[in-house]
Amino acid sequence: MEGEPTLHLRIFDLNCWAIRYLSKRRQERVRLIGDTLRREGFDLVLLQEVWSEQDYSDLRGKLAGCYPFSHYFRSGVIGSGLCIFSRFPILDTLLYQYSLNGYPYMLQHGDWFCGKSVGVSVAVTAPLVSLSAQLHAEYCREKDAYLPHRLVQAWELAQFIRHTSKAADVVLLGGDLNMHPEDVGIRLLRGWTGLRDAFAEAAHFEGCKNGCTLVPDNCFTDKSELLPFPLGIRIDYILYKATSSFTVKCEELKTTTGPAPGTDIPFSDHEAVMATLHIHRQGQPVGATLGTADLALVDVVTEARTEVGVGLRAAQRQRYSSGRMAVLALLLLLLQAAAALGTLAGLGAEQPFPKLSFCLLAFLALGVLVLSASLHLFHTMEVKMLHGTEDQMWMALRALQERP
Amino acid sequence: MEGEPTLHLRIFDLNCWAIRYLSKRRQERVRLIGDTLRREGFDLVLLQEVWSEQDYSDLRGKLAGCYPFSHYFRSGVIGSGLCIFSRFPILDTLLYQYSLNGYPYMLQHGDWFCGKSVGVSVAVTAPLVSLSAQLHAEYCREKDAYLPHRLVQAWELAQFIRHTSKAADVVLLGGDLNMHPEDVGIRLLRGWTGLRDAFAEAAHFEGCKNGCTLVPDNCFTDKSELLPFPLGIRIDYILYKATSSFTVKCEELKTTTGPAPGTDIPFSDHEAVMATLHIHRQGQPVGATLGTADLALVDVVTEARTEVGVGLRAAQRQRYSSGRMAVLALLLLLLQAAAALGTLAGLGAEQPFPKLSFCLLAFLALGVLVLSASLHLFHTMEVKMLHGTEDQMWMALRALQERP
């Protein structure tokens, strides 16, 4: 942005829900998204859940003219699903994979296999850092077993933004954060990074009521999930901040509202978020205003740390019980080995040796041993990560409280 | 470093080789390291392979007086083994876990379980970023199956340093990088970040010949590993760089040489590296001089990219063969299911059904299926990561070649 005192930046953010074989009318929707992006000519496009590299390649082919720069972030078994298209050169990229991301054995949720990540790309000739992110999904709000994992991710995302964007003039984060606006995770992310919510700051808004991005009107959403929220929920965000030499204002925020123009289907099961930002270079840097919010931030970090602590204790219990199960299976195997050796040595020769049930039991014990040992390893990692995050949050609290 | 035009910084770096139950005379050595650190009073201590949290706690207790600030980085099943002790406040920390780190089934090498990482801590009142890192070990130099993984790690480390240290006045990296000074990985790291090697820059050097840190004279080293290198090898480094407003000079570099003073044992199987840096604030920022090295950098990145490509093709082959094995095991299971159903339906009733061998075969097929499916998942991730790194390197090459 050097030399340009004012910049209007139009950003498009969408969770594309493009899972091969599973998402309805995927190819048609990806085509539709591509057509719209080409027609509208945004400056920056942040997409999530583009799980198929073929879809990304198709989009890149179609958008090469108006978005000459793009990047697809690879991670996990399936991929991160994140990609960025930009009118400005992408100078560099970096991918950060969250240390915790659900459980491999929760196959029906599948988050673990995706390697949920935040991708960062440094764009424009002067430092504009844009990030695309997705956090762990919420499957049950009342009994949210993944809350600690999502909080660890929110914290890691916040830390990642703090550390990677120190020299950036403007930071933009777009993504499906899977958190309601007042959830502790999003307050933590906003408070700890100083990012502001484009919806809350927008001078003009147009779209679904309350800026919701998962609405019952959308023909692809799961209606039963949205029963407690008849208006829908807002879980997709565009957040931004600038250094003291710049001001960023959100002039306009829009969401899509159901079917795309001229068709009968929406882009995705999520609504897209579109922001027009006005970035202005200031003559004189103004002092940071973060200090005033420190007290509120202490509360948020404390709340998040409590939740992480709850997750830590649950993980410790699971580690313990899987370890105990592994030890029991091992004991059973040893017992069987002793019995088999006894039989070989001629003890109890008067009775027929029950070969089949012996084999079945041995294989069962072996299976349980392998499974519970793997679980034990996994929960050991989980405990380490939750513990590490708890520590980091404690360090942050101490730093906040020691500030003059 | 605000207000202080000149700073003398004494840094200590050591791979402690403190593996519980496995490392020889571990507790004695950790005590010795703690005593020496307390007596010598360094400014910054970067330790690797402190695998036991208890050892860290002991060290922290002992060093609380002279190093009031410290941090232990948790990751993986066992931990990252990284910790930092500092005379200056640690304002913030961040842990980055490499996306590739060996294979879980190579139990005898164990790297996968450690979650090799780079830990970054932001210390001192003004931005001094210090990093402690360890990369994947080299088990066989002639046929180094882990070279692509180590190159991915070197690249991720370099990218991480570039992205996290943009606002830093001085960046320090200490660690066991498991690479010889002329290896492609270390040239990549130095070239891509601009970090300089304290050994090469030191005005005065004292210690093992050529700055070696793994020497045959050390009673804990594996002599057979060092046979091709009678003088030893240099794989532990202190690297540094400064922004244009600062100059950093390495006044002195030392390594330990065998037994610690007053004892019969060395600190570890590695020698410690100790540097005295002289950091000076300049009146006028001078222009960056990186441009002149661009051509050499293109060569290094190209070489590294070729190696990553070799690893990518090997990973693709392994993914294919594990996938094929999983399909074969599944077919066998289906065949068995068909046979069992056939028997239940009364076909072939004239022959006795071989229950035991049937069960054994079924369990064998199931075992092979689970194992090969897991391997297939793992190698799929590996392919994704190697592919992603190849892409990033390509982007870097393009950016380098397009520079005016």
Side-chain angles (χ1 to χ4, degrees):
Chain A
M1 283 162 290
E2 308 251 312
E4 267 186 80
T6 294
L7 181 73
H8 279 266
L9 203 64
R10 292 180 62 225
I11 303 150
F12 179 93
D13 171 79
L14 174 65
N15 176 333
C16 295
W17 188 50
I19 314 167
R20 232 201 290 215
Y21 315 120
L22 285 178
S23 301
K24 289 179 199 151
R25 302 175 75 172
R26 187 188 104 248
Q27 285 169 310
E28 204 180 334
R29 290 189 291 106
V30 169
R31 226 171 8 243
L32 197 61
I33 293 169
D35 291 341
T36 308
L37 291 179
R38 191 165 55 180
R39 197 177 52 239
E40 292 282 332
F42 292 94
D43 297 302
L44 193 67
V45 175
L46 307 170
L47 302 181
Q48 300 95 44
E49 294 207 2
V50 181
W51 299 118
S52 144
E53 272 201 60
Q54 189 54 50
D55 285 344
Y56 166 70
S57 297
D58 291 349
L59 280 173
R60 194 176 55 171
K62 182 177 270 180
L63 300 177
C66 38
Y67 306 89
F69 306 96
S70 67
H71 189 74
Y72 186 72
F73 295 91
R74 287 182 183 81
S75 81
V77 178
I78 305 174
S80 73
L82 304 175
C83 60
I84 290 187
F85 291 91
S86 167
R87 209 163 60 80
F88 307 109
I90 295 177
L91 299 180
D92 206 350
T93 63
L94 185 67
L95 181 79
Y96 183 90
Q97 231 176 306
Y98 308 119
S99 61
L100 285 180
N101 189 33
Y103 304 98
Y105 49 83
M106 297 300 268
L107 289 176
Q108 77 276 28
H109 290 165
D111 292 70
W112 188 83
F113 291 92
C114 308
K116 290 269 168 80
S117 316
V118 53
V120 55
S121 71
V122 182
V124 206
T125 42
L128 164 80
V129 169
S130 58
L131 304 103
S132 183
Q134 188 173 21
L135 302 194
H136 197 293
E138 183 181 80
Y139 295 99
C140 170
R141 194 163 175 84
E142 284 65 49
K143 213 180 152 213
D144 184 8
Y146 297 112
L147 178 61
H149 283 211
R150 206 175 312 105
L151 276 176
V152 168
Q153 295 187 342
W155 175 257
E156 288 182 351
L157 176 57
Q159 284 285 78
F160 182 77
I161 292 172
R162 279 166 65 96
H163 283 271
T164 54
S165 63
K166 276 182 186 141
D169 293 335
V170 176
V171 180
L172 294 173
L173 168 65
D176 169 12
L177 303 182
N178 274 312
M179 298 185 285
H180 297 213
E182 282 316 306
D183 282 359
V184 56
I186 193 102
R187 283 184 283 133
L188 181 71
L189 178 65
R190 287 208 323 261
W192 193 233
T193 56
L195 284 168
R196 284 180 294 148
D197 184 352
F199 173 75
E201 309 273 333
H204 174 73
F205 173 74
E206 203 181 305
C208 298
K209 202 167 155 101
N210 299 334
C212 290
T213 57
L214 211 60
V215 292
D217 287 347
N218 185 307
C219 63
F220 294 127
T221 52
D222 181 351
K223 304 295 171 286
S224 63
E225 268 183 29
L226 290 174
L227 271 185
F229 308 101
L231 284 178
I233 55 179
R234 182 159 79 91
I235 57 175
D236 298 82
Y237 296 84
I238 290 177
L239 305 169
Y240 59 83
K241 71 169 179 177
T243 56
S244 54
S245 322
F246 285 82
T247 51
V248 185
K249 286 204 179 97
C250 181
E251 289 184 350
E252 188 179 58
L253 193 83
K254 285 185 182 180
T255 72
T256 51
T257 51
T263 63
D264 64 329
I265 51 165
F267 291 139
S268 163
D269 63 344
H270 287 241
E271 302 300 325
V273 184
M274 293 156 286
T276 306
L277 301 184
H278 177 261
I279 301 173
H280 183 76
R281 181 192 286 279
Q282 298 193 134
Q284 282 294 315
V286 295
T289 54
L290 245 178
T292 51
D294 272 4
L295 269 181
L297 190 52
V298 167
D299 287 346
V300 175
V301 178
T302 308
E303 190 181 339
R305 192 165 172 261
T306 311
E307 289 294 349
V308 170
V310 170
L312 176 61
R313 279 182 292 284
Q316 279 168 335
R317 277 194 304 274
Q318 282 169 310
R319 179 179 62 169
Y320 173 75
S321 54
S322 54
R324 194 181 48 185
M325 184 65 87
V327 169
L328 288 178
L330 190 66
L331 283 179
L332 183 59
L333 270 179
L334 290 176
L335 210 68
Q336 282 204 294
L341 284 175
T343 311
L344 283 178
L347 296 172
E350 66 281 1
Q351 288 178 329
F353 187 74
K355 277 188 204 160
L356 179 65
S357 39
F358 186 86
C359 266
L360 280 178
L361 194 61
F363 274 109
L364 188 71
L366 199 67
V368 171
L369 176 62
V370 169
L371 205 73
S372 49
S374 312
L375 275 182
H376 184 70
L377 280 185
F378 180 81
H379 288 301
T380 303
M381 279 199 262
E382 192 188 8
V383 165
K384 282 243 182 293
M385 289 304 172
L386 288 166
H387 201 169
T389 305
E390 216 188 16
D391 265 14
Q392 282 192 23
M393 288 178 170
W394 181 80
M395 190 185 286
L397 280 175
R398 205 184 50 183
L400 280 173
Q401 279 155 350
E402 279 174 6
R403 267 193 210 172
Chain B
M1 283 161 291
E2 309 249 313
E4 266 186 83
T6 293
L7 181 73
H8 279 264
L9 203 65
R10 292 180 63 227
I11 303 150
F12 179 93
D13 171 78
L14 175 65
N15 176 331
C16 295
W17 188 50
I19 312 168
R20 233 202 288 215
Y21 314 121
L22 285 179
S23 301
K24 288 179 199 151
R25 303 175 74 173
R26 188 188 102 248
Q27 285 168 310
E28 203 180 336
R29 290 188 291 105
V30 169
R31 228 174 4 248
L32 196 62
I33 293 169
D35 291 339
T36 307
L37 291 179
R38 191 166 55 182
R39 195 175 56 239
E40 292 282 332
F42 292 94
D43 297 301
L44 192 66
V45 176
L46 308 170
L47 301 181
Q48 300 95 45
E49 293 208 3
V50 182
W51 298 119
S52 143
E53 273 202 60
Q54 188 53 49
D55 285 343
Y56 167 71
S57 299
D58 293 349
L59 280 174
R60 195 176 55 170
K62 181 177 273 180
L63 301 177
C66 38
Y67 306 89
F69 306 96
S70 67
H71 189 73
Y72 186 73
F73 295 90
R74 287 182 183 82
S75 80
V77 179
I78 305 173
S80 73
L82 304 176
C83 59
I84 289 186
F85 292 91
S86 167
R87 208 163 61 80
F88 307 109
I90 295 177
L91 300 180
D92 205 350
T93 63
L94 184 68
L95 182 79
Y96 183 89
Q97 230 176 308
Y98 308 118
S99 60
L100 285 180
N101 188 33
Y103 304 99
Y105 49 84
M106 297 300 268
L107 289 175
Q108 77 276 29
H109 291 165
D111 293 70
W112 188 84
F113 291 93
C114 308
K116 291 270 169 76
S117 315
V118 54
V120 57
S121 71
V122 182
V124 206
T125 41
L128 165 79
V129 170
S130 59
L131 302 104
S132 184
Q134 188 174 21
L135 302 195
H136 198 293
E138 183 181 79
Y139 295 98
C140 172
R141 194 162 175 82
E142 282 67 48
K143 213 180 151 214
D144 184 7
Y146 297 111
L147 178 62
H149 283 212
R150 205 175 314 106
L151 277 176
V152 168
Q153 294 186 344
W155 175 257
E156 288 182 351
L157 175 56
Q159 284 286 77
F160 181 77
I161 291 172
R162 279 166 63 95
H163 283 272
T164 54
S165 64
K166 277 183 184 139
D169 293 336
V170 176
V171 179
L172 294 172
L173 168 66
D176 170 12
L177 303 182
N178 274 313
M179 297 185 285
H180 297 213
E182 281 316 309
D183 281 359
V184 56
I186 193 101
R187 284 183 283 132
L188 181 71
L189 177 65
R190 288 208 323 262
W192 192 233
T193 56
L195 284 168
R196 283 180 295 149
D197 184 353
F199 173 75
E201 309 272 334
H204 174 73
F205 173 74
E206 204 181 305
C208 298
K209 204 168 153 89
N210 299 334
C212 290
T213 58
L214 210 60
V215 292
D217 287 348
N218 186 306
C219 63
F220 295 127
T221 52
D222 182 350
K223 304 296 172 284
S224 63
E225 267 182 30
L226 289 174
L227 271 186
F229 308 100
L231 284 177
I233 55 178
R234 183 159 78 92
I235 58 174
D236 297 82
Y237 297 84
I238 290 177
L239 305 169
Y240 59 82
K241 70 168 180 177
T243 56
S244 56
S245 323
F246 285 82
T247 52
V248 186
K249 286 205 178 95
C250 181
E251 290 185 348
E252 189 180 56
L253 192 83
K254 284 185 183 179
T255 73
T256 51
T257 51
T263 64
D264 64 330
I265 51 165
F267 291 140
S268 164
D269 62 345
H270 287 239
E271 302 301 324
V273 184
M274 294 156 286
T276 306
L277 300 184
H278 177 261
I279 301 172
H280 183 75
R281 183 191 284 278
Q282 297 192 134
Q284 281 295 312
V286 294
T289 55
L290 246 179
T292 51
D294 272 3
L295 269 180
L297 190 52
V298 167
D299 286 347
V300 175
V301 178
T302 308
E303 189 180 340
R305 191 163 173 259
T306 309
E307 289 293 349
V308 170
V310 170
L312 175 61
R313 278 181 295 283
Q316 279 167 334
R317 276 195 302 274
Q318 283 169 309
R319 180 180 61 170
Y320 172 75
S321 54
S322 54
R324 193 181 49 186
M325 184 65 89
V327 170
L328 287 177
L330 190 66
L331 283 179
L332 183 61
L333 270 178
L334 290 177
L335 210 67
Q336 283 204 293
L341 283 176
T343 311
L344 283 178
L347 296 172
E350 67 281 3
Q351 287 180 329
F353 187 74
K355 276 189 204 158
L356 179 64
S357 38
F358 185 86
C359 268
L360 282 177
L361 195 62
F363 275 110
L364 187 73
L366 199 66
V368 171
L369 177 62
V370 169
L371 205 73
S372 49
S374 312
L375 275 182
H376 184 71
L377 279 185
F378 180 80
H379 289 300
T380 303
M381 279 200 262
E382 193 188 8
V383 165
K384 282 243 182 292
M385 289 305 172
L386 288 166
H387 200 168
T389 305
E390 217 188 13
D391 265 15
Q392 281 193 24
M393 287 177 170
W394 182 80
M395 191 186 285
L397 280 175
R398 206 184 48 183
L400 279 174
Q401 279 156 351
E402 278 173 6
R403 267 195 211 170

